[in-house]
Structure formats: C-alpha cells, structure tokens
Amino acid sequence: MSFRARLSPAVALSVALAAVLAAVAVSARAQDDGTELSARVLLLQDQVASLRADVELLRARDAVLTSAASRLANAGNGLRNGTANTRGQGFEGAAIPQVSRTALLTALETLARDLGAATPAAPTPQEQELRRRADELRKVFTR
C-alpha cells in the first residue's frame, strides 16, 4: 500500500488564498514605497528650485556689494592721500597755513562723497523679483 499525502481541497484553497494575499500585500507595499519616493523626489525638486532662486539672488547682490566694498577701499585710500597732502602743506605746524586747511576740507568733502557713493544700491526690481520668487519657492517645501 502506497501512502500519498493528499491535501484536502479546503487546505489547498487556504494555501492558495494565503499566497494571493501575500502577493497583494507585497504589491501594495511596493506601491506605497513608490508613492512615498515620488513625494520625496518632488519635495527635493522644490527645494533645489528654491535654492537655485536663492543663488540667483545672491549672485545679483554679490556684484553690488563687491562694487561697494571696492568703493570703500578707494575712499580709504583717498582719505590717506588727503591727509598726507595736508601734512605736506604744513597742517601739523604751529600756525596752520590756509592752503593746508583747504586741503583738509577738500579731503573730508571727497571722503563724504566717496562714502555716499560706496553705499550699496537698493535692490533693483529684478533683484526684488528674484527674492519674491525664492521666497515663494521656499514656502512650497516648508509647508
């Protein structure tokens, strides 16, 4: 007598049903991971767009601030030259000559003008638009 193990139809049906449910669960998990991954990718793309807008704004302002810093250096050099000129005209003597006083006032007026010119310009309309765009993009991923 040979013994064959036979599964009852109920057990076979239960095993088949369990396999189908396991496959559905794995598929659902894979879809959830894909959705989460897609959402993360979209968030990262928003962050990159915001950072690019910030970089554009910073590059635009960098040129303005670099130019202003250069003008400040020139103003400092002008004041040193003006001071040297007044010394050369006898400003440090007991009686300050008229020409030396005039040279000092000219140096101070030039410094005042140069400092006024060295002040960074207010943001241009283009820079203001870049700032607005960067702020709007930043709001997207900080919500």
Side-chain angles (χ1 to χ4, degrees):
M1 202 169 117
S2 87
F3 179 78
R4 287 189 187 175
R6 292 179 72 184
L7 292 178
S8 71
V11 172
L13 184 60
S14 296
V15 169
L17 185 58
V20 168
L21 288 176
V24 168
V26 168
S27 174
R29 174 177 271 166
Q31 286 177 350
D32 286 345
D33 290 343
T35 302
E36 181 182 318
L37 182 59
S38 295
R40 289 181 61 204
V41 167
L42 290 174
L43 178 65
L44 290 172
Q45 287 173 337
D46 289 342
Q47 288 175 337
V48 167
S50 173
L51 291 172
R52 283 184 176 163
D54 283 334
V55 167
E56 286 178 43
L57 172 64
L58 292 173
R59 283 184 177 158
R61 288 306 291 167
D62 177 61
V64 171
L65 296 175
T66 299
S67 177
S70 175
R71 289 190 301 270
L72 283 173
N74 291 339
N77 288 333
L79 182 59
R80 270 192 294 284
N81 292 338
T83 303
N85 185 28
T86 59
R87 280 195 175 111
Q89 305 266 338
F91 188 82
E92 295 176 323
I96 300 172
Q98 172 66 33
V99 68
S100 180
R101 291 191 306 255
T102 303
L104 176 63
L105 291 175
T106 301
L108 291 174
E109 288 170 345
T110 301
L111 175 62
R113 184 192 69 230
D114 290 348
L115 289 176
T119 303
T124 65
Q126 293 84 6
E127 291 169 337
Q128 290 173 0
E129 176 59 24
L130 286 172
R131 181 178 301 278
R132 187 201 60 74
R133 194 172 106 219
D135 290 344
E136 286 299 315
L137 287 169
R138 198 173 303 105
K139 288 178 189 176
V140 169
F141 71 86
T142 56
R143 291 180 195 165

